[in-house]
């Protein structure tokens, strides 16, 4: 692949390479929209880190079953599993690396968080049994994302891993995880409910007519039972907000650390590239920086002939006056072959055009790798190997 | 229409709309998940809650839960509190307390549009696959969770619509690759078991057409015997016979392209077959378009392919249902 055509600048002294990115990171957060190979790429990065002698772990949500099989992961592994060395270690490799993987269980992570900050077992049990809590932990937008970050914090603290690669959950908005902690805190600190749920101090009457009207209206729509559940939850939760807030802040601090790096994953389609650039901007708005971009499934190009030229050669062949039958069918076949080549040259050129200058637009020095679309689907360790080799061989 | 991210769901929605509009139906495309690139493909500005006309016979709008809620509260005599609900943050609490409430608001709005009969066909560009199942299961969940009240009434109306195949069907969209195919199969079973909604034909998008010159050479297409050297030799021979000999580099490039295409094509056929074996519903196959990013010309091409295959289907799927709730 032609690196100059990609807008890469191999001689830029400030450039990060994927090798240096792995070596210098404690946490890598992989972000990108759905269907761009995020999980596969995260796994490939973790494998490479293990081969480099690091103790790495990939944290993922709902990986494709064959990928889980390839890594020897059982169906559900909410706790870290050490991956069999024979699956990933090269025969000539005797380094001390270790590869682990785990699947995120957002609800279990949230439950553990409640248990940690509850004032005793009783408070924890009251919260865990509340049906509003169950909704928060499973249905509140962003909870999965927040729990991914929470798990990340836990793994980072435990000291068992040199590198943690997090595959962010597939969500309606790929950057929900950035806003998730604030969103949850906002919900837990809702002023109106704090007023309603503090009868010891003020009583419902003191909450004011406006609030009462509101609560009654809500009861009418969703039923008094649901409202009772909500009130019971906020009562049970009392006293825990501070712990949650502190935790959210330390999660944020971890993400802001210089050893935490963001890697964006995209496909070479125009909309996907534009979205990746938008993600980079948003991540920048939060004060973090994108250190790498991996473009998956870039169509291969074969030779340097232009698609249009090939296509006109094909139609010229088709337009020639009829010859003896053998020659016409040879011409037809040639024309068809030329069209096939033209197709790839056309799509390849378009994708390279989409990617032109992307590195500059991402900000100074980000590592960029282009992983070609492979002739087969990626689900085995060998294929992950191939992906890793392509990422780390790619010109910076 | 539902499908994993990146399978071209929005494009297929647009193509289906064009097919329906060509046969004289009035179509509404409803976007429920923020911007999708639909407006760009039709060369108009981003969609809004207010309906706009995309092209002859095709209108489009977004259906956001917030706007649907405001409208619904107004319709239920609660318009005055709507604004305060939003400002106080209580709405988020209520939506969390009643999982699926936002979905039911959107689905309720779709049901309202369906019953207004303003359109012959409503195409819903649904959330990505995993979310599509929860999107469509929320009315049933709500029926269990909420005992009384207007929300319950809304939910049971939506369930009635979803379980009537003449009113609503789900069309899944996938690409012929392992992960999307597997996810489509899981989604299909989940939708059938948990929602009870009828499945329309499944659309397999982005299939490479084979090089016809290769397809005719049996020796080359037998699995496992694709012989690169033989391919190069045959290309070289054809080049000479046609009177335009090629350099060895050109021959190699062509052979590489042809064999890459063929290998991908094998993977794709295999996946499409797996899908056919797993799901006993008709498949509509759409070609991968090498020639450009999705714009109106591409949508028309896909509509041609889709229209030709829909004609071949045993039952008219487009004409029958009032709302194609996908």
């Amino acid at each position: 692949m032609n690196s100059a055509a990609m807008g890469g600048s191999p001689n830029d002294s400030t450039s990060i390479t994927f090798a240096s990115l792995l070596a210098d990171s404690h946490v890598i957060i992989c972000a990108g929209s759905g269907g761009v190979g995020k999980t596969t790429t995260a796994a490939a990065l973790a494998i490479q880190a293990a081969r480099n002698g690091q103790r790495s772990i990939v944290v993922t949500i709902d990986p494709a079953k064959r990928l889980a099989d390839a890594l020897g992961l059982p169906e559900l592994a909410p706790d870290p599993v050490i991956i069999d060395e024979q699956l990933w270690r090269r025969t000539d490799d005797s380094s001390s690396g270790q590869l682990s993987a785990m699947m995120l269980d957002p609800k279990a992570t949230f439950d553990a968080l409640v248990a940690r900050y509850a004032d005793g077992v009783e408070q924890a049990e009251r919260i865990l049994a509340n049906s509003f809590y169950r909704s928060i932990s499973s249905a509140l937008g962003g909870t999965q994302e927040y729990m991914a970050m929470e798990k990340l914090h836990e793994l980072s603290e435990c000291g068992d891993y040199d590198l943690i690669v997090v595959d962010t959950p597939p969500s309606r908005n790929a950057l929900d995880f950035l806003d998730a902690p604030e969103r949850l805190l906002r919900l837990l600190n809702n002023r109106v409910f704090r007023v309603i749920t503090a009868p010891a101090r003020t009583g419902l009457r003191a909450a004011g007519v406006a609030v009462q009207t509101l609560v009654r209206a809500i009861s009418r729509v969703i039923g008094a039972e649901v409202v009772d559940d909500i009130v019971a939850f906020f009562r049970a939760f009392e006293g825990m907000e501070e712990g949650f807030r502190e935790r959210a802040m330390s999660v944020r601090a971890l993400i802001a650390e210089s050893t935490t790096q963001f890697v964006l994953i995209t496909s070479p389609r125009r909309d996907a590239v534009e979205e990746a650039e938008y993600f980079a901007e948003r991540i920048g708005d939060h004060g973090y920086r994108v250190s790498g971009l991996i473009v998956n499934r870039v169509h291969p190009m074969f030779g340097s002939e232009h698609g249009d030229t090939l296509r006109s050669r094909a139609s010229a062949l088709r337009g020639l006056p009829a010859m003896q039958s053998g020659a016409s069918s040879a011409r037809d076949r040639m024309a068809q072959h030329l069209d096939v080549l033209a197709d790839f040259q056309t799509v390849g050129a378009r994708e390279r055009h989409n990617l032109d200058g992307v590195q500059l637009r991402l900000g100074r020095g980000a590592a960029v790798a282009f992983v070609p679309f492979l002739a087969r689907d990626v689900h085995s360790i060998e294929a992950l190997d191939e992906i890793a080799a392509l990422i780390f061989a790619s010109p910076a | 229409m539902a499908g994993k991210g990146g399978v071209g769901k929005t494009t297929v929605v647009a193509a289906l709309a064009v097919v329906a509009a060509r046969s004289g139906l009035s179509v509404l495309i409803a976007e429920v998940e923020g911007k999708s690139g639909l407006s760009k493909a039709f060369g108009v500005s981003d969609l809004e809650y207010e309906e706009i006309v995309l092209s002859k016979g095709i209108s489009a709008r977004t259906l956001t839960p917030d706007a649907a809620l405001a409208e619904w509260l107004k319709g239920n005599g609660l318009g005055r509190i709507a604004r305060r609900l939003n400002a106080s943050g209580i709405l988020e609490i209520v939506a969390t307390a009643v999982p699926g409430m936002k979905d039911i608001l959107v689905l309720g709005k779709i049901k309202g549009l369906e019953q207004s009969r303003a359109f012959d066909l409503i195409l819903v560009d649904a959330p990505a696959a995993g979310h599509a199942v929860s999107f469509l299961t929320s009315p049933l969940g709500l029926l269990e969770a909420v005992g009384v009240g207007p929300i319950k009434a809304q939910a049971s109306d939506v369930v009635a619509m979803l379980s009537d195949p003449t009113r609503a069907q789900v069309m899944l969209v996938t690409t012929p690759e392992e992960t999307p195919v597997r996810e489509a199969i899981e989604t299909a079973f989940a939708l059938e078991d948990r929602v009870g909604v009828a499945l329309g034909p499944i659309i397999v998008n982005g299939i490479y057409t084979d090089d016809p010159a290769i397809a005719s050479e049996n020796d080359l297409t037998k699995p496992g015997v694709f012989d690169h050297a033989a391919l190069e030799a045959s290309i070289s021979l054809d080049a000479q016979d046609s009177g335009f000999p090629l350099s060895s580099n050109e021959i190699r490039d062509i052979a590489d392209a042809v064999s890459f295409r063929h290998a991908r094509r094998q993977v794709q056929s295999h996946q499409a077959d797996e899908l056919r074996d797993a799901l006993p519903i008709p498949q509509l196959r759409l070609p991968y378009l090498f020639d450009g990013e999705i714009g109106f010309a591409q949508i028309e091409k896909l509509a041609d392919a889709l229209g030709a295959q829909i004609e071949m289907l045993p039952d008219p799927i487009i004409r029958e249902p009032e709302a194609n709730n996908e």
Side-chain angles (χ1 to χ4, degrees):
Chain A
M1 213 164 296
N2 182 348
S3 73
M6 299 290 196
S9 168
N11 299 322
D12 185 342
S13 58
T14 63
S15 282
I16 303 167
T17 64
F18 278 98
S20 73
L21 197 146
L22 279 195
D24 300 341
S25 305
H26 177 45
V27 171
I28 292 178
I29 299 172
C30 294
S33 44
V36 296
K38 211 164 30 171
T39 307
T40 309
T41 310
L45 291 176
I47 288 180
Q48 185 64 35
R51 291 212 167 125
N52 293 350
Q54 290 181 290
R55 293 166 305 159
S56 69
I57 181 168
V58 55
V59 182
T60 175
I61 286 196
D62 193 25
K65 193 174 175 304
R66 268 181 63 180
L67 178 64
D69 290 348
L71 291 170
L73 274 181
E75 284 273 343
L76 275 171
D79 296 314
V81 176
I82 295 176
I83 306 298
D84 186 357
E85 289 196 6
Q86 288 186 332
L87 286 172
W88 57 269
R89 195 183 284 283
R90 292 203 185 88
T91 42
D92 57 349
D93 173 13
S94 61
S95 69
S96 57
Q98 185 189 66
L99 177 67
S100 303
M102 68 169 287
M103 268 182 251
L104 187 68
D105 180 345
K107 175 145 192 341
T109 309
F110 208 142
D111 290 355
L113 209 54
V114 167
R116 171 195 289 260
Y117 289 109
D119 187 14
V121 180
E122 203 202 326
Q123 186 186 19
E125 278 176 356
R126 224 170 32 240
I127 294 172
L128 297 183
N130 182 280
S131 57
F132 179 63
Y133 167 73
R134 288 205 295 270
S135 299
I136 290 187
S137 55
S138 60
L140 175 64
T143 303
Q144 269 202 340
E145 289 77 6
Y146 181 37
M147 290 307 131
M149 295 300 112
E150 168 58 33
K151 198 68 191 176
L152 169 65
H153 185 272
E154 197 184 310
L155 292 169
S156 158
E157 291 287 287
C158 79
D160 289 348
Y161 307 102
D162 303 317
L163 178 70
I164 305 157
V165 184
V166 195
D167 167 28
T168 54
S171 65
R172 295 187 186 198
N173 175 353
L175 293 177
D176 273 354
F177 67 91
L178 290 173
D179 305 320
E182 281 79 6
R183 218 172 149 198
L184 183 68
L185 287 177
R186 211 166 50 232
L187 182 115
L188 295 177
N189 288 316
N190 186 279
R191 265 185 43 244
V192 175
F193 267 84
R194 302 203 60 71
V195 173
I196 306 169
T197 56
R201 270 172 283 169
T202 56
L204 188 53
R205 191 161 304 155
V209 179
V211 171
Q212 286 184 51
T213 317
L214 202 58
V215 171
R216 241 180 260 125
I218 294 168
S219 302
R220 228 168 51 228
V221 176
I222 62 175
E225 250 175 71
V226 181
V227 173
D228 289 349
D229 271 339
I230 300 177
V231 170
F233 169 78
F234 278 92
R235 284 205 181 120
F237 202 75
E238 199 163 7
M240 283 174 56
E241 314 86 344
E242 203 40 48
F244 266 75
R245 192 201 316 277
E246 274 168 20
R247 185 68 165 194
M249 280 167 71
S250 53
V251 168
R252 209 180 315 165
L254 169 68
I255 298 175
E257 267 178 39
S258 63
T259 52
T260 298
Q261 315 270 3
F262 282 87
V263 171
L264 289 176
I265 325 284
T266 185
S267 80
R269 282 173 37 166
R270 190 184 59 208
D271 50 352
V273 174
E274 281 171 3
E275 208 168 336
E277 288 177 6
Y278 168 74
F279 287 170
E281 227 171 85
R282 286 279 324 276
I283 289 169
D285 292 345
H286 277 76
Y288 315 130
R289 212 181 77 132
V290 173
S291 308
L293 172 76
I294 296 173
V295 186
N296 278 326
R297 306 162 65 95
V298 180
H299 270 91
M301 289 179 83
F302 307 94
S304 55
E305 195 89 71
H306 201 274
D308 289 344
T309 318
L310 291 160
R311 232 176 274 282
S312 25
R313 276 169 68 189
S315 52
L317 275 175
R318 288 196 176 96
L320 286 174
M323 292 171 64
Q324 65 265 50
S325 64
S328 319
S329 58
R331 277 181 190 166
D332 284 345
R333 282 196 297 272
M334 271 322 296
Q336 287 156 350
H337 289 323
L338 287 169
D339 279 342
V340 168
L341 180 57
D343 279 346
F344 285 113
Q345 301 304 85
T346 304
V347 71
R350 191 174 67 240
E351 290 178 351
R352 279 149 188 79
H353 175 75
N354 293 339
L355 293 165
D356 209 14
V358 72
Q359 190 171 25
L360 291 173
R361 292 196 294 277
L362 277 187
R364 213 159 29 89
V368 177
F370 303 97
V371 178
F373 194 26
L374 302 175
R376 58 199 158 81
D377 286 351
V378 178
H379 290 289
S380 61
I381 283 272
E382 290 75 31
L384 280 176
D385 250 6
E386 202 175 334
I387 297 281
L390 288 161
I391 292 171
F392 289 91
S394 210
Chain B
M1 339 255 333
K4 186 177 161 64
V7 300
K9 186 162 50 77
T10 300
T11 314
V12 175
V13 169
L16 197 56
V18 169
V19 173
R22 280 178 185 168
S23 68
L25 299 179
S26 62
V27 186
L28 175 70
I29 300 176
E31 248 184 37
V32 300
E33 209 183 29
K35 65 162 199 174
S36 66
L38 182 73
S39 48
K40 203 180 238 176
F42 280 91
V44 298
S45 53
D46 282 353
L47 297 182
E48 309 270 347
Y49 195 70
E50 298 301 319
E51 212 172 281
I52 59 157
V53 175
L54 287 184
S55 76
K56 192 174 171 290
I58 305 175
S59 301
R61 62 181 295 175
T62 60
L63 287 175
T64 57
D66 292 351
L69 175 70
E71 200 179 316
W72 185 81
L73 285 172
K74 227 169 149 188
N76 282 267
L78 298 166
R80 273 192 316 135
I81 69 161
R83 202 170 310 152
R84 215 163 60 233
L85 267 180
N86 248 328
S88 63
I90 285 194
L91 188 59
E92 192 158 12
I93 292 182
V94 173
T96 306
V98 187
M101 201 184 79
K102 291 189 168 177
D103 296 336
I104 200 75
L105 288 166
V106 170
L107 286 166
K109 179 65 194 168
I110 292 168
K111 184 217 67 190
L113 289 167
E114 183 237 351
Q115 287 183 332
S116 77
R117 300 189 177 268
F119 295 93
D120 299 319
L121 178 70
I122 301 171
L123 294 170
V124 182
D125 191 349
H131 295 300
V133 175
S134 60
F135 177 63
L136 292 171
T137 43
S138 41
L140 281 169
L142 270 177
L143 279 183
E144 285 164 23
V146 180
V148 285
I151 292 245
K152 181 174 173 130
Q154 180 90 312
S156 60
D157 284 356
V158 170
V159 168
M161 174 180 75
L162 290 179
S163 49
D164 181 349
T166 65
R167 294 174 67 194
Q169 291 182 11
V170 172
M171 286 177 80
L172 292 169
V173 183
T174 187
T175 46
E177 284 159 49
E178 167 110 9
T179 310
V181 161
R182 206 175 272 265
E183 208 170 306
I185 295 169
E186 279 169 17
T187 306
F189 281 109
L191 287 174
E192 208 153 65
D193 296 348
R194 286 163 52 195
V195 186
V197 64
L199 292 176
I202 187 165
I203 293 173
V204 185
N205 190 28
I207 297 191
Y208 282 4
T209 45
D210 218 341
D211 180 351
I214 285 295
S216 63
E217 302 218 7
N218 291 330
D219 284 350
L220 291 173
T221 52
K222 275 183 211 141
V225 296
F226 197 95
D227 181 342
H228 210 273
L231 177 64
E232 285 195 19
S234 112
I235 291 169
S236 169
L237 200 64
D238 279 345
Q240 270 164 23
D241 287 351
S242 60
F244 296 90
L246 297 171
S247 74
S248 61
N249 278 352
E250 284 176 309
I251 290 170
R252 190 203 54 220
D253 291 341
I254 291 173
D256 284 349
V258 167
S259 63
F260 179 82
R261 171 102 141 223
H262 184 67
R264 267 325 299 182
R265 166 81 198 166
Q266 299 277 91
V267 170
Q268 294 181 343
S269 305
H270 174 71
Q271 290 301 334
D273 290 349
E274 296 259 297
L275 185 65
R276 187 197 53 212
D277 294 345
L279 296 179
I281 48 178
Q283 258 183 37
L284 303 172
R285 300 186 177 189
L286 291 178
Y288 180 84
L289 299 179
F290 285 92
D291 62 348
E293 300 282 340
I294 293 305
F296 196 67
Q298 282 73 33
I299 289 172
E300 295 235 281
K301 252 186 219 177
L302 293 178
D304 293 344
L306 209 49
Q309 292 176 69
I310 287 173
E311 297 238 315
M312 308 285 284
L313 287 174
D315 296 308
I317 59 133
I318 289 293
R319 263 149 285 169
E320 236 182 72
E322 302 273 323
N324 216 331
N325 226 319
E326 286 142 43

